[in-house]
Structure formats: structure tokens, C-alpha cells
């Protein structure tokens, strides 16, 4: 369950990337999650995550991500829509080995202010509750 929350937080963070050198705050919630055991005794999980983010440039966005957790690694794709209707597409990744709470978000495309504007964010899971299925994360971003 912790894996799911951490995964979601990474994904939700992605929709707030705009402008040079900025910070992001993000809250997220897991909507759907499913897990299976694998041949090597670990688990594989897929989840949908919804969230809301705000960046230090004043952009606010709602977002949705689809993430996968396998072998202690999170990967996924997100789509966020901000207050102007601009859409941002991002990928999320994190190696959770050793309880790692930091990961990376990368803008892969978008419309309006996000078009032709690559960005990378390093995020940190600040607070999460797997039982409830919610979390909060922050990120430092660079365009």
C-alpha cells in the first residue's frame, strides 16, 4: 500500500511544471489499484491517481496518472490541466529501494505554456497514508 501512495504522489506532482526554476506542492489520492504476486516473490501493481497541484508561478492544475510499481520501482504517465486549460504531459519515476522518498518527474510535452518547454522536477514524498490512500509531496523543478 505504501508503494501505491508513493507512486501516486510522484505522478500527481507532474502537472505543475511551468516556467524556469520553481517549486510545486501536490496532494493526491489513489482511485484504483490492483496488485499481483510475481514469480520471484515480489509484487507488481498498477494504479490510477488523481491530484491537485500548485506551483510557485501561480499555476494550479488537476491531474490524473496511471502508474506501475514492479521490483521496487515506480514508473508512469500523467496528464494535467491547469487554470488556463493548458495541458501538460509528464512521466514519473522513482526507485524505492531503502525507503527512498525522492523521485523524478519529466515534462514530455503539452499545449500552451507547456509546449516545447521541457522540465525536470525532483520530488519528495512529505506525507502519505496508505490506509486512507492519500498523500502530499513537494518538488523542485528546472526548465
Amino acid at each position: 500500500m505504501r508503494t501505491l501512495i508513493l507512486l501516486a504522489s510522484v505522478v500527481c506532482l507532474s502537472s505543475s511544471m511551468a516556467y524556469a526554476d520553481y517549486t510545486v506542492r501536490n496532494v493526491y489520492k489513489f482511485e484504483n489499484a490492483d496488485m499481483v504476486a510475481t514469480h520471484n516473490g515480489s509484487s507488481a501493481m498498477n494504479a490510477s491517481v488523481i491530484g491537485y497541484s500548485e506551483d510557485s508561478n501561480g499555476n494550479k492544475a488537476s491531474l490524473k496518472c496511471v502508474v506501475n510499481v514492479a521490483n521496487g520501482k515506480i514508473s508512469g504517465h500523467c496528464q494535467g490541466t491547469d487554470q488556463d486549460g493548458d495541458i501538460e504531459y509528464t512521466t514519473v519515476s522513482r526507485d524505492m529501494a531503502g525507503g527512498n522518498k525522492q523521485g523524478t518527474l519529466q515534462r514530455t510535452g503539452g499545449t500552451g505554456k507547456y509546449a516545447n518547454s521541457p522540465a525536470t522536477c525532483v520530488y519528495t514524498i512529505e506525507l502519505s497514508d496508505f490506509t486512507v490512500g492519500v498523500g502530499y509531496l513537494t518538488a523542485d523543478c528546472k526548465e
Side-chain angles (χ1 to χ4, degrees), residues 59-79:
N59 294 302
K60 299 175 183 179
S62 59
L63 48 107
K64 183 172 186 176
C65 302
V66 176
V67 295
N68 173 268
V69 180
N71 299 318
K73 297 184 184 199
I74 294 172
S75 62
H77 296 270
C78 300
Q79 176 180 328

Side-chain angles (χ1 to χ4, degrees), residues 3-86:
T3 302
L4 179 59
I5 290 178
L6 296 176
L7 172 65
S9 62
V10 173
V11 176
C12 291
L13 187 194
S14 66
S15 80
S16 291
M17 293 189 250
Y19 306 86
D21 299 343
Y22 57 97
T23 60
V24 175
R25 299 181 302 157
N26 177 271
V27 293
Y28 56 90
K29 173 183 159 185
F30 297 98
E31 284 198 314
N32 300 301
D34 202 5
M35 186 182 303
V36 297
T38 65
H39 71 283
N40 64 3
S42 65
S43 297
M45 178 178 59
N46 287 315
S48 296
V49 181
I50 59 168
Y52 175 80
S53 64
E54 180 175 294
D55 69 29
S56 58
N57 294 317
N59 294 302
K60 299 175 183 179
S62 59
L63 48 107
K64 183 172 186 176
C65 302
V66 176
V67 295
N68 173 268
V69 180
N71 299 318
K73 297 184 184 199
I74 294 172
S75 62
H77 296 270
C78 300
Q79 176 180 328
T81 304
D82 72 11
Q83 74 279 352
D84 300 321
D86 294 342

Side-chain angles (χ1 to χ4, degrees), residues 60-140:
K60 299 175 183 179
S62 59
L63 48 107
K64 183 172 186 176
C65 302
V66 176
V67 295
N68 173 268
V69 180
N71 299 318
K73 297 184 184 199
I74 294 172
S75 62
H77 296 270
C78 300
Q79 176 180 328
T81 304
D82 72 11
Q83 74 279 352
D84 300 321
D86 294 342
I87 297 171
E88 177 183 39
Y89 301 103
T90 57
T91 60
V92 60
S93 63
R94 181 165 58 98
D95 184 343
M96 298 181 300
N100 182 21
K101 293 188 173 198
Q102 288 193 325
T104 303
L105 298 165
Q106 292 210 291
R107 183 182 303 135
T108 58
T111 64
K113 68 180 82 58
Y114 307 110
N116 302 310
S117 180
T120 300
C121 296
V122 174
Y123 69 89
T124 302
I125 306 296
E126 302 289 349
L127 178 67
S128 61
D129 185 316
F130 297 106
T131 303
V132 178
V134 297
Y136 171 72
L137 62 86
T138 59
D140 292 314

